[in-house]
Amino acid sequence: MAACSSNSNMRREEQTEEKKKAREKSAKKRSKEEGDEGDEGEEIFSFKDKAAVDEEEDDDLSDSEDSVYSGLEDSGSDSDDEDDDDKDDNEEEEEEEDGSGNEDEEEDLKTETQQTGQTEQKKTTTMKKKKEGKEVTEEEKVNEYEHDSSDEEDIRNTVGNIPMEWYKDFPHIGYNLDGKKIYKPIRNKDELDEFLDKMENPEYWKTIHDKQTGRDIVLSDEQVDLVNRLQRGQFGDVNFNEYEPTVEFFTSDVMIHPVTNRPADKRSFIPSLIEKEKVSKMVHAIKMGWIKPRRVEDDSKGRYYDLWTGEDSSLVAKHKMHLPAPKIPLPSHQESYNPPPEYLFTDEERALWDQQDPSDRKLPFVPRKFSSLRQVPAFPRFIHERFERCLDLYLCPRQRKMRVNVNPEDLIPKLPKPKDLQPFPTTQSLVYRGHTGLIRSISVSPSGQWLASGSDDGSVRIWEVCSSRCMKTVQVGGAVKSISWNPNPAVCLLAVAVESVVLILSPSLGDKQVISATERLLSGQQEAETTEGEGPVSWIETEGEELNQGIHLKIQHAKAVQQVAWHAKGDYLASVMPDHSSHLQVLIHQLSRRRSQNPFRKNKGLVQCVSFHPIRPYFFVATQRCIRIYNLVKQEMTKKLQANSKWISSMDVHSSGDHVICGSYDCRLGWFDLDLSTKPYKMLRHHKKAVRGVAYHRSYPLFASASDDGSVIICHGTVYNDLLQNPLIVPVKVLKGHEITHDLGVLDVTFHPTQPWVFSSGADATVRLFT
Amino acid sequence: MGGLQKKKFERGSATNYITRNKARKKLQLSLPDFRRLCILKGIYPHEPKHKKKVNKGSTAPRTFYLVKDIRFLLHEPIVGKFRDYKVFVRKLKKAYAKTEYSDVERLKDNKPTYKLDHIIKERYPTFIDALRDIDDALCMCFLFSTFARTGKCHVQTIQLCRRLTVEWMNYVIASRSLKKVFLSIKGIYYQAEVMGQLITWLVPYQFSHDHPTDVDYRVMATFTELYTTLLGFVNFRLYHSLNLVYPPKMDSKSDLELKGEDEEDYAMDSESYLEKLSALSTSLARVFSSVEDEEAQLDQFPVEGEDMENMEAREKEQKQQETQTKLFEGLKFFLNREVPRESLAFIIRCFGGQVSWDKSVCIGSTYDATDETITHQIVDRPNIDKQYISRYYIQPQWVFDCVNAKILLPVEDYFMGVTLPPHLSPFVEEKEGDYVPPEKLKVMALQQGKKPAEEQEEEDEDEEDEEGEDEEEEDDNDDDEEDEEEEAEEKSLKKMEEQRSQGKSLQVKVTPGKVKVENPARLEQEQKAEEKRLAIMMMKKKEKYLYDKIMFGKKRKIREANKLAAKRKAYDDAEKAKKKKARK
């Protein structure tokens, strides 16, 4: 309290030197007041209070300030009543009674205080002045209002709104309006003081520190009350009644006289242009459909009616192109919740299912078995499946697929029964054994009594057909590539191709007449031979051991001979020496004159086999891809047959000379009709492996093909005299018997000249007869 | 010669097709809108025959539509609505962005909507067309009606789906047109014959769905939009064909019975009404209540000889059908709470049975579990505390199997806690040579009136069947056997020859020759087989290919059937062995 008083004293001294006049005028009271610390304190506080409020609420809340104002005014008067010493009571009352506005002496004081600019301060001071009971002039009032409007802070300290720490090292705390220093209180409180104060001072809780002036201020009870009220959100003034009845400015009752007698404006009679503009805009917008009037709730969306009342078929025709979506396939037993046990997956099937890509799976789910319905869970892919169906419906192209609904039996062509096409060989009746190597070539004597076979074991064997006895074995000292019986029934001669030699062999079997005729033929030629000079080949007469074996002549070629073929008359003999580079591939030998000649000047490809036309002077040469037919008389090519195969292996000409068959290494057999076309009339793909040999029967309409798959297929091929009827080519029998050795099956096939029998020789060193 | 130069891809198939993007641009639609339009109008892409020609020489994979189709879409009024909607969304966004909420309200009031009636009429010009295509609609609606009412789609859609499916089921009950049912692992299949069309639909089991993330619900919602419209119109027509009131109303009698029971549980009257309808326990109100079940009698026409048989056959069939629709007539069922109520109530009511359930399970129960007149109680638990002697306690599969077999099957196999016989699909129709599970044979025997005691015989039959199959196979193997015989012959011959050629032991021994008995039938068969083989050799390449393909398919089928039979046999053997062990 001492500090307080000193403070107030000091302040007094510093701030209000100019108020001295006034003080002097009311010396008594002044002195009393000065002495009264409480009063002073209060005065200070009122400013302080404002400052605090300002601090709290910034400076924009003018309303609250008003309320503060009103509250303070009252409280100020109240506080005056209560706080002032009893001595003053009477005077105060008197003053109040006198009237609030009488302040005469205060004018000066007012002007002074106005300069301080603090409203509250001013007011309090005015209140003080009221107490003093002096007269008030109009002038003053005007002034008062003037300053009342300002809500500036009390700037006793002129340093402004700065952090007060800046002054902490100085003895003063700022400057007053006159530019004099305002000094800090003499002694600063430290922590201990603070604590002691806190402990001892009962009013500590309502003491606040004013930073700007550096003083402590104790709030009065009223002020505390005010603060509390404000905090509660009540009016600052206790006596203010917020529920007072309103005083209406205008009465609600209609008076007989108008408030104003002014005649109505012209514009109140004329429609508003602005409104007109606005309305017309809206109307236009509605017309244009930009604004729609509020729509009536349309519930027709969910209303159903008989859509198909007048069904007309005109719409149906419109949608001819439209394909209805295929239905989902119906579930099978596998999908059951309790399927039969055979439909459940085994472990392997399950593993396979897991491994497979979802698109490869046969079933899109795993069949499962549940012992009762309550154990069945939800199907996890249900929504997926439905969604996939949706995608199918609108994303998948649809196509009408013609389903081939044929009975497979109908596809099989109706062929004449083999039974009706008899005779043809059906069963294997004889096996000729004796060779040790694979048998490349066989040939039957024109009488049909003898069969000659040449093998890789270097021997030629002659068999009796009916008994399968080996009548003769001739060692020729090399693998026999080809063997051919002279077709002339009057002689008994064999041509054998061994390496680069063609042997003319007389087996000397059968009738003595025939044997002697053969001898004559062979011996009679000798004279003629001598006249012949140097040729592509040399004719060698054999003697000694070889002659004893029956080998009469050797025709020495330059290269290995692949095939020999007789002319039908039995005098001419053709030999084939396949060679890519040379034009010397085919030689024609004349036996009676022991002459050889090369018919071709040019190399037209690798010659596979050759054959004479049975009746006419034609010569067939088969190269890899095609068969050329040469006229030997005119010495020109007459025809070229396209075989439509990769590599011809063998060829045979029908005894009538009109048809040719050729087998190829790519499993095909081509049947040519020379009158019709140069293309095969029919290609037969019956064999599984390369065709090695083909043969025509001389009298029966049969032909046979031998293949590496170990089978001989007999086909019936009739050509009708009626040209309109197509030739009938029907396979009639598949003959099996040869074993496949070293991937080679049947190597050669030939028919019996008179009987419907077929001989075949194979890589298993046997010759078989099928009858 | 002059003339204009012919340009490539300006005529022919290139001008008949249009790629998807071009179509979209032509219609001025965004891709989702285009998709919706295609779904609603039923336009699907086409696969051109010469893709490269159509694709202007490029081989890039593209989706092609027919130009005609797109031109057809061009005139669709809905396209305009789509554009309106686009504008609406844009305006709405703008209004939101400007926080002009009054505008938002106004816009929302004027939200463009469209109806699909004309599209339905256009896509399904006749009612039968619509019925033919209703399978997918039913499946979808049944799926959507099981969705939870949160998230994936509008609640209104779900409610509508539910309403329509309930109406459909009520129609099927009223018309007694249900034919087949099947409990699969995916759900329950139903097949009904409505106006001569077989309609199959799949209902998922009543579980909440685990919604997958890789499914585009917008597509599904668009389909549902179409399907609900379609189903609504179809329902309307069907109800009217039966003289039923649409939207369905319950019979006044039954309505009164039900009233006052559970009324207070439902906030809205309409809600409880739908629930009651979906309980499927009441019959529906008819337009003319006076007309009771009038059976369409086949008028007797004077007929002549040939038609007579047909007529009789038809009459017989109809009689059979009638008996089937009255399969459960006179039976009184009670459903325990653990069985799927809706599906069982639906099936039992379809076949004329009376059905009820516990009051707490669902609205609409008509009698209590204590009712003495109940003949069957459907239970799906191993045992039950209180049992009545007057009724059978059977598992739900019995109902389904009975419907499929068209007779009341013996209940012994389906008692509570018993291992059930396998549940077979009624949709499989075995052809000649297919594998038929023995259970099916048993049922077939029962249908023909045989007694189940003849099981032994049936098994024999089975074996016979199997033998038959074997025989078929034998045919295939004939050739091989022949070869083998020949080989054997040859071997013996060879031996003899060798012996002869060795010559040393010339134990010439003359044994009485065996008369080779030739079976003429077999010989003939062999001959035929050979003929066939030769003929096959002569087939043309194309036909041969086709023939091989067909035969391959046939053989595969046989193989599969054999595999199943073998599996079954192994299983049966294992079971028998187990039984024997148990006996010992």
Side-chain angles (χ1 to χ4, degrees):
Chain A
M1 291 297 276
C4 272
S5 65
S6 64
N7 283 352
S8 59
N9 282 333
M10 276 178 66
R11 194 186 132 232
R12 272 290 155 201
E13 286 161 18
E14 289 154 11
Q15 284 186 332
T16 57
E17 281 186 17
E18 283 173 331
K19 292 177 187 174
K20 277 174 185 174
K21 270 185 185 174
R23 284 173 199 155
E24 283 165 5
K25 280 176 185 173
S26 54
K28 265 189 183 176
K29 284 172 187 175
R30 276 286 147 200
S31 61
K32 274 180 190 172
E33 279 177 23
E34 277 173 9
D36 192 339
E37 296 140 357
D39 199 355
E40 284 297 309
E42 190 222 334
E43 195 185 358
I44 295 161
F45 167 65
S46 58
F47 139 75
K48 201 31 229 173
D49 184 42
K50 168 63 188 159
V53 167
D54 272 6
E55 268 176 22
E56 277 172 21
E57 305 187 352
D58 278 331
D59 44 4
D60 56 341
L61 299 170
S62 52
D63 289 348
S64 69
E65 261 173 40
D66 276 350
S67 66
V68 166
Y69 164 68
S70 57
L72 272 179
E73 196 172 33
D74 281 332
S75 70
S77 60
D78 289 345
S79 67
D80 280 343
D81 293 341
E82 291 161 9
D83 282 15
D84 280 358
D85 293 343
D86 300 334
K87 320 158 193 178
D88 298 332
D89 279 355
N90 298 330
E91 295 168 56
E92 281 169 15
E93 281 162 23
E94 285 167 19
E95 283 159 20
E96 280 177 11
E97 283 161 15
D98 284 347
S100 53
N102 328 330
E103 286 160 30
D104 49 349
E105 294 173 31
E106 290 242 319
E107 287 173 25
D108 320 274
L109 185 68
K110 268 283 169 223
T111 47
E112 289 158 16
T113 47
Q114 278 156 14
Q115 288 163 9
T116 62
Q118 223 279 345
T119 36
E120 272 90 358
Q121 175 63 31
K122 207 186 331 159
K123 280 160 215 155
T124 44
T125 45
T126 47
M127 279 180 267
K128 291 283 158 3
K129 286 157 202 164
K130 283 176 203 168
K131 293 169 198 168
E132 281 164 31
K134 301 290 150 94
E135 287 177 19
V136 180
T137 58
E138 275 294 317
E139 196 187 331
E140 269 178 45
K141 277 184 182 171
V142 171
N143 270 342
E144 205 177 49
Y145 275 119
E146 220 175 73
H147 293 285
D148 218 19
S149 67
S150 97
D151 50 355
E152 288 281 305
E153 286 180 55
D154 170 21
I155 313 180
R156 235 168 288 174
N157 192 348
T158 54
V159 290
N161 189 16
I162 54 159
M164 296 316 285
E165 294 93 71
W166 293 355
Y167 281 92
K168 80 183 170 196
D169 294 337
F170 297 98
H172 62 283
I173 201 167
Y175 303 92
N176 64 8
L177 287 170
D178 302 328
K180 303 266 173 64
K181 285 177 182 173
I182 303 171
Y183 289 97
K184 283 180 186 170
I186 296 158
R187 191 172 148 241
N188 274 326
K189 278 187 191 170
D190 55 7
E191 289 292 311
L192 190 61
D193 287 337
E194 189 83 16
F195 180 72
L196 286 176
D197 220 11
K198 194 175 177 181
M199 288 295 106
E200 290 166 359
N201 192 355
E203 288 181 330
Y204 176 80
W205 62 275
K206 53 178 181 179
T207 309
I208 47 175
H209 181 77
D210 180 11
K211 270 188 191 164
Q212 211 161 21
T213 53
R215 269 169 231 197
D216 285 343
I217 302 154
V218 179
L219 300 182
S220 67
D221 289 346
E222 288 74 32
Q223 284 164 336
V224 171
D225 234 23
L226 177 65
V227 169
N228 285 339
R229 271 208 305 281
L230 289 177
Q231 275 176 346
R232 280 199 298 270
Q234 291 169 338
F235 283 95
D237 188 359
V238 192
N239 300 327
F240 181 73
N241 182 5
E242 40 192 312
Y243 301 111
E244 267 180 4
T246 51
V247 179
E248 285 180 8
F249 192 72
F250 290 106
T251 60
S252 56
D253 308 327
V254 180
M255 305 282 202
I256 47 167
H257 298 295
V259 177
T260 159
N261 210 10
R262 193 163 168 243
D265 289 326
K266 185 188 176 186
R267 66 167 175 269
S268 60
F269 300 108
I270 301 170
S272 158
L273 275 176
I274 298 167
E275 280 175 10
K276 187 185 169 193
E277 202 178 343
K278 277 186 180 172
V279 169
S280 66
K281 264 186 185 172
M282 278 190 208
V283 167
H284 182 62
I286 291 173
K287 272 185 189 167
M288 299 301 283
W290 300 331
I291 297 180
K292 289 197 187 78
R294 181 157 305 205
R295 213 178 34 173
V296 191
E297 194 53 51
D298 184 19
D299 61 341
S300 62
K301 203 185 174 201
R303 185 160 291 161
Y304 302 114
Y305 51 91
D306 194 356
L307 192 65
W308 294 278
T309 37
E311 285 185 357
D312 48 349
S313 51
S314 61
L315 278 166
V316 183
K318 212 167 144 188
H319 282 266
K320 241 179 214 168
M321 281 292 284
H322 182 84
L323 302 180
K327 294 198 171 189
I328 295 183
L330 292 169
S332 74
H333 299 313
Q334 277 136 337
E335 215 182 301
S336 168
Y337 88 102
N338 182 15
E342 61 266 33
Y343 288 99
L344 293 171
F345 278 169
T346 58
D347 291 344
E348 299 128 46
E349 281 170 329
R350 177 67 207 247
L352 182 72
W353 191 88
D354 283 337
Q355 272 177 9
Q356 272 173 332
D357 192 69
S359 56
D360 296 338
R361 286 170 183 165
K362 232 175 185 185
L363 278 181
F365 56 90
V366 183
R368 295 177 68 188
K369 192 177 180 102
F370 299 96
S371 60
S372 68
L373 188 58
R374 70 170 185 280
Q375 286 165 338
V376 185
F379 188 63
R381 286 191 57 80
F382 196 95
I383 295 177
H384 274 118
E385 287 197 348
R386 204 94 292 281
F387 178 59
E388 274 155 22
R389 170 72 181 171
C390 286
L391 291 186
D392 283 352
L393 283 178
Y394 88 96
L395 278 184
C396 275
R398 293 181 202 164
Q399 234 168 13
R400 224 182 272 277
K401 277 240 162 122
M402 296 311 285
R403 213 182 154 74
V404 183
N405 198 9
V406 287
N407 187 2
E409 302 303 319
D410 295 346
L411 290 173
I412 299 171
K414 288 276 165 288
L415 297 180
K417 281 191 177 175
K419 216 196 269 174
D420 307 337
L421 300 175
Q422 272 168 348
F424 54 83
T426 51
T427 50
Q428 173 182 290
S429 45
L430 283 177
V431 181
Y432 305 88
R433 291 178 199 279
H435 281 295
T436 52
L438 48 90
I439 302 166
R440 282 201 191 270
S441 182
I442 49 174
S443 182
V444 191
S445 73
S447 61
Q449 199 180 353
W450 314 108
L451 172 71
S453 65
S455 164
D456 268 10
D457 60 2
S459 65
V460 171
R461 279 170 189 262
I462 314 230
W463 316 82
E464 193 182 23
V465 167
C466 300
S467 61
S468 82
R469 259 177 72 193
C470 180
M471 303 301 290
K472 199 166 186 181
T473 306
V474 182
Q475 294 295 335
V476 293
V480 178
K481 285 276 162 17
S482 174
I483 193 164
S484 184
W485 210 289
N486 193 327
N488 188 357
V491 294
C492 179
L493 264 187
L494 268 172
V496 181
V498 181
E499 290 165 357
S500 62
V501 186
V502 174
L503 305 175
I504 306 296
L505 194 145
S506 166
S508 55
L509 291 168
D511 280 348
K512 274 185 186 161
Q513 270 192 339
V514 173
I515 294 169
S516 60
T518 311
E519 293 289 328
R520 237 180 293 132
L521 178 71
L522 289 174
S523 56
Q525 289 146 3
Q526 282 174 348
E527 295 96 48
E529 191 262 331
T530 48
T531 59
E532 212 48 42
E534 289 292 302
V537 297
S538 51
W539 294 72
I540 302 164
E541 199 82 27
T542 56
E543 66 242 336
E545 181 59 29
E546 285 184 333
L547 192 61
N548 285 348
Q549 284 195 327
I551 302 172
H552 286 263
L553 276 173
K554 273 185 178 177
I555 309 172
Q556 184 68 46
H557 289 64
K559 282 164 287 187
V561 179
Q562 197 66 36
Q563 195 216 348
V564 284
W566 287 100
H567 186 254
K569 293 267 171 55
D571 193 20
Y572 290 95
L573 173 73
S575 62
V576 180
M577 300 169 285
D579 187 5
H580 274 295
S581 51
S582 150
H583 64 277
L584 194 70
Q585 292 193 75
V586 182
L587 285 174
I588 296 180
H589 314 283
Q590 191 177 12
L591 200 61
S592 55
R593 297 169 70 182
R594 302 208 177 168
R595 225 167 49 167
S596 302
Q597 62 176 32
N598 176 18
F600 302 119
R601 220 167 292 137
K602 264 187 196 164
N603 171 21
K604 292 264 173 106
L606 195 65
V607 178
Q608 299 297 313
C609 53
V610 296
S611 176
F612 285 98
H613 193 282
I615 308 160
R616 292 198 207 117
Y618 288 133
F619 188 58
F620 296 81
V621 179
T623 54
Q624 268 185 33
R625 295 289 189 97
C626 53
I627 298 167
R628 290 186 172 80
I629 304 169
Y630 296 93
N631 190 333
L632 289 174
V633 178
K634 289 185 182 172
Q635 306 239 326
E636 62 179 16
M637 193 174 82
T638 52
K639 229 171 223 176
K640 189 178 166 191
L641 306 178
Q642 294 292 343
N644 284 359
S645 53
K646 294 277 154 55
W647 197 312
I648 293 170
S649 65
S650 54
M651 167 184 67
D652 198 18
V653 185
H654 191 250
S655 55
S656 69
D658 288 340
H659 312 297
V660 176
I661 48 172
C662 79
S664 69
Y665 289 113
D666 50 353
C667 321
R668 291 158 195 242
L669 176 74
W671 191 92
F672 294 89
D673 190 327
L674 295 182
D675 297 338
L676 281 176
S677 152
T678 58
K679 296 266 163 61
Y681 176 78
K682 195 131 199 171
M683 288 300 281
L684 306 173
R685 283 178 214 81
H686 298 164
H687 287 287
K688 301 272 182 330
K689 281 184 181 169
V691 177
R692 290 271 171 186
V694 291
Y696 257 121
H697 198 281
R698 221 184 268 176
S699 48
Y700 291 107
L702 294 174
F703 59 90
S705 58
S707 158
D708 271 348
D709 59 3
S711 67
V712 175
I713 293 178
I714 312 292
C715 294
H716 180 94
T718 324
V719 181
Y720 300 98
N721 290 330
D722 181 8
L723 286 175
L724 289 177
Q725 203 164 1
N726 288 332
L728 175 77
I729 295 171
V730 184
V732 287
K733 188 72 192 171
V734 179
L735 299 168
K736 283 178 183 168
H738 285 284
E739 281 163 37
I740 297 167
T741 41
H742 307 298
D743 281 339
L744 292 175
V746 190
L747 294 176
D748 199 5
V749 66
T750 185
F751 274 102
H752 193 273
T754 50
Q755 297 293 325
W757 297 345
V758 71
F759 300 91
S760 66
S761 70
D764 56 349
T766 57
V767 179
R768 285 161 202 259
L769 167 65
F770 300 93
T771 55
Chain B
M1 300 295 281
L4 285 172
Q5 192 188 353
K6 277 183 190 173
K7 278 186 188 163
K8 252 183 164 181
F9 310 123
E10 281 193 345
R11 66 191 71 207
S13 55
T15 52
N16 290 337
Y17 292 92
I18 187 168
T19 59
R20 189 186 61 179
N21 251 352
K22 274 193 182 153
R24 204 173 57 72
K25 272 182 194 143
K26 191 168 182 183
L27 294 169
Q28 299 179 11
L29 287 175
S30 66
L31 188 57
D33 276 347
F34 178 69
R35 199 177 287 154
R36 269 169 62 192
L37 191 64
C38 283
I39 291 171
L40 294 176
K41 294 284 281 181
I43 301 295
Y44 47 86
H46 281 259
E47 190 81 355
K49 254 186 189 165
H50 300 289
K51 216 165 182 191
K52 207 173 162 191
K53 262 186 205 166
V54 172
N55 214 350
K56 315 243 155 93
S58 155
T59 49
R62 287 213 173 88
T63 321
F64 291 101
Y65 288 86
L66 280 180
V67 169
K68 266 186 189 172
D69 282 351
I70 300 304
R71 228 177 280 142
F72 169 65
L73 288 183
L74 214 50
H75 302 296
E76 178 56 47
I78 287 231
V79 177
K81 291 284 182 186
F82 283 167
R83 289 191 197 123
D84 284 354
Y85 196 82
K86 199 172 70 184
V87 173
F88 160 74
V89 169
R90 203 167 54 210
K91 278 184 184 165
L92 200 67
K93 259 188 200 162
K94 201 171 174 183
Y96 265 118
K98 286 184 171 176
T99 62
E100 290 168 346
Y101 294 110
S102 62
D103 277 9
V104 169
E105 283 305 308
R106 184 175 54 79
L107 284 171
K108 275 185 178 169
D109 283 342
N110 285 325
K111 185 177 168 183
T113 56
Y114 53 87
K115 292 205 286 185
L116 298 174
D117 304 6
H118 65 284
I119 288 184
I120 300 284
K121 173 81 178 168
E122 186 183 82
R123 284 185 67 173
Y124 308 107
T126 63
F127 180 55
I128 294 299
D129 290 334
L131 269 186
R132 224 176 267 156
D133 228 20
I134 207 151
D135 285 18
D136 286 316
L138 280 172
C139 288
M140 193 63 114
C141 286
F142 270 102
L143 171 65
F144 264 66
S145 66
T146 57
F147 278 176
R149 307 208 170 180
T150 49
K152 291 298 170 193
C153 60
H154 294 298
V155 177
Q156 289 92 329
T157 314
I158 295 169
Q159 275 170 342
L160 183 62
C161 282
R162 176 74 185 148
R163 202 190 96 199
L164 291 171
T165 51
V166 165
E167 282 169 10
W168 171 260
M169 285 198 286
N170 271 315
Y171 167 76
V172 172
I173 290 174
S175 65
R176 299 249 176 127
S177 49
L178 192 68
K179 292 282 172 254
K180 288 168 179 175
V181 282
F182 178 49
L183 291 166
S184 86
I185 50 174
K186 290 181 186 171
I188 304 175
Y189 284 90
Y190 300 93
Q191 191 174 61
E193 193 180 347
V194 179
M195 306 211 159
Q197 300 295 324
L198 280 179
I199 294 164
T200 317
W201 70 96
L202 172 63
V203 182
Y205 289 116
Q206 294 281 341
F207 292 104
S208 64
H209 294 279
D210 185 13
H211 286 288
T213 50
D214 52 344
V215 162
D216 189 354
Y217 278 89
R218 282 179 306 172
V219 170
M220 301 247 281
T222 313
F223 267 104
T224 313
E225 199 180 348
L226 176 77
Y227 285 155
T228 47
T229 319
L230 171 64
L231 192 55
F233 284 117
V234 167
N235 276 349
F236 184 92
R237 176 90 176 212
L238 287 175
Y239 270 71
H240 279 259
S241 71
L242 278 190
N243 270 336
L244 293 170
V245 182
Y246 188 89
K249 282 210 176 80
M250 280 174 285
D251 220 353
S252 50
K253 297 182 266 179
S254 43
D255 199 15
L256 279 177
E257 281 170 27
L258 277 177
K259 208 148 231 176
E261 271 183 24
D262 301 294
E263 212 77 330
E264 66 277 2
D265 291 347
Y266 294 93
M268 281 161 67
D269 229 17
S270 57
E271 209 176 316
S272 76
Y273 204 77
L274 182 62
E275 287 291 324
K276 271 185 226 164
L277 267 181
S278 58
L280 304 173
S281 62
T282 52
S283 50
L284 300 177
R286 289 179 186 268
V287 178
F288 314 108
S289 53
S290 58
V291 185
E292 279 296 303
D293 282 337
E294 68 167 309
E295 292 289 322
Q297 290 265 332
L298 265 188
D299 288 340
Q300 293 286 345
F301 293 107
V303 285
E304 291 157 29
E306 272 181 48
D307 292 341
M308 200 67 177
E309 285 176 14
N310 280 343
M311 203 70 170
E312 274 172 13
R314 223 185 307 159
E315 264 176 32
K316 201 177 170 188
E317 201 173 288
Q318 202 178 6
K319 217 171 245 178
Q320 207 182 347
Q321 268 187 7
E322 260 171 47
T323 50
Q324 198 205 338
T325 53
K326 289 174 181 170
L327 185 67
F328 294 141
E329 207 126 286
L331 302 184
K332 223 169 168 184
F333 290 86
F334 187 82
L335 307 180
N336 249 25
R337 57 173 63 249
E338 69 272 8
V339 300
R341 188 202 65 82
E342 192 176 284
S343 105
L344 278 169
F346 173 57
I347 294 167
I348 291 167
R349 292 257 300 129
C350 270
F351 292 95
Q354 275 180 293
V355 64
S356 179
W357 45 85
D358 197 274
K359 216 180 280 169
S360 58
V361 174
C362 183
I363 193 171
S365 67
T366 41
Y367 44 86
D368 235 0
T370 50
D371 196 333
E372 291 289 334
T373 53
I374 290 171
T375 54
H376 294 76
Q377 182 160 354
I378 298 176
V379 192
D380 199 359
R381 55 175 81 175
N383 53 15
I384 200 166
D385 292 336
K386 197 184 166 197
Q387 295 198 8
Y388 292 82
I389 305 167
S390 60
R391 62 179 83 152
Y392 295 120
Y393 288 85
I394 46 170
Q395 300 200 33
Q397 197 191 317
W398 181 78
V399 177
F400 292 85
D401 281 351
C402 282
V403 169
N404 292 337
K406 299 173 188 169
I407 46 165
L408 290 179
L409 292 171
V411 286
E412 293 86 30
D413 297 341
Y414 298 91
F415 278 154
M416 196 164 46
V418 160
T419 310
L420 289 166
H423 180 61
L424 296 174
S425 164
F427 304 113
V428 181
E429 270 161 27
E430 278 91 358
K431 272 173 268 165
E432 192 67 37
D434 285 352
Y435 172 75
V436 185
E439 287 82 10
K440 180 136 191 172
L441 293 172
K442 216 185 280 178
V443 171
M444 270 150 68
L446 275 173
Q447 279 169 337
Q448 283 153 18
K450 283 185 202 165
K451 280 177 188 169
E454 291 168 309
E455 262 177 54
Q456 199 58 42
E457 265 186 33
E458 278 158 30
E459 271 176 31
D460 291 352
E461 271 175 36
D462 281 8
E463 278 164 28
E464 274 173 21
D465 279 2
E466 277 166 36
E467 273 172 33
E469 279 160 21
D470 290 350
E471 268 176 343
E472 271 171 37
E473 267 180 67
E474 268 172 38
D475 287 343
D476 298 328
N477 295 337
D478 273 347
D479 344 331
D480 303 336
E481 279 173 32
E482 235 175 271
D483 296 340
E484 277 167 31
E485 273 175 34
E486 274 176 26
E487 268 173 40
E489 237 172 86
E490 197 172 305
K491 264 182 195 167
S492 61
L493 272 175
K494 210 180 194 178
K495 232 184 203 173
M496 273 162 63
E497 262 177 54
E498 269 173 29
Q499 279 174 359
R500 213 188 294 167
S501 60
Q502 276 164 5
K504 294 165 204 165
S505 52
L506 270 177
Q507 310 163 344
V508 180
K509 205 175 170 187
V510 180
T511 47
K514 268 185 197 168
V515 179
K516 208 175 175 184
V517 184
E518 288 204 333
N519 188 352
R522 182 164 176 93
L523 259 178
E524 203 176 320
Q525 215 177 23
E526 274 172 29
Q527 214 171 2
K528 262 192 189 156
E530 200 187 347
E531 267 174 39
K532 197 174 159 189
R533 241 176 308 128
L534 289 172
I536 288 170
M537 276 190 345
M538 279 307 286
M539 270 165 124
K540 279 175 199 158
K541 210 175 175 183
K542 226 176 179 180
E543 287 177 351
K544 182 91 185 289
Y545 175 74
L546 185 61
Y547 180 82
D548 283 347
K549 229 171 139 183
I550 294 173
M551 291 319 276
F552 177 77
K554 272 191 171 177
K555 274 190 184 153
R556 190 180 51 192
K557 234 182 203 175
I558 291 170
R559 220 181 314 134
E560 268 164 21
N562 287 345
K563 197 177 157 195
L564 281 176
K567 246 172 143 183
R568 178 64 185 223
K569 208 179 169 215
Y571 175 81
D572 282 348
D573 288 348
E575 288 290 295
K576 257 183 203 169
K578 233 185 247 174
K579 260 185 203 171
K580 265 185 191 170
K581 247 186 198 174
R583 240 179 256 168
K584 280 170 190 175

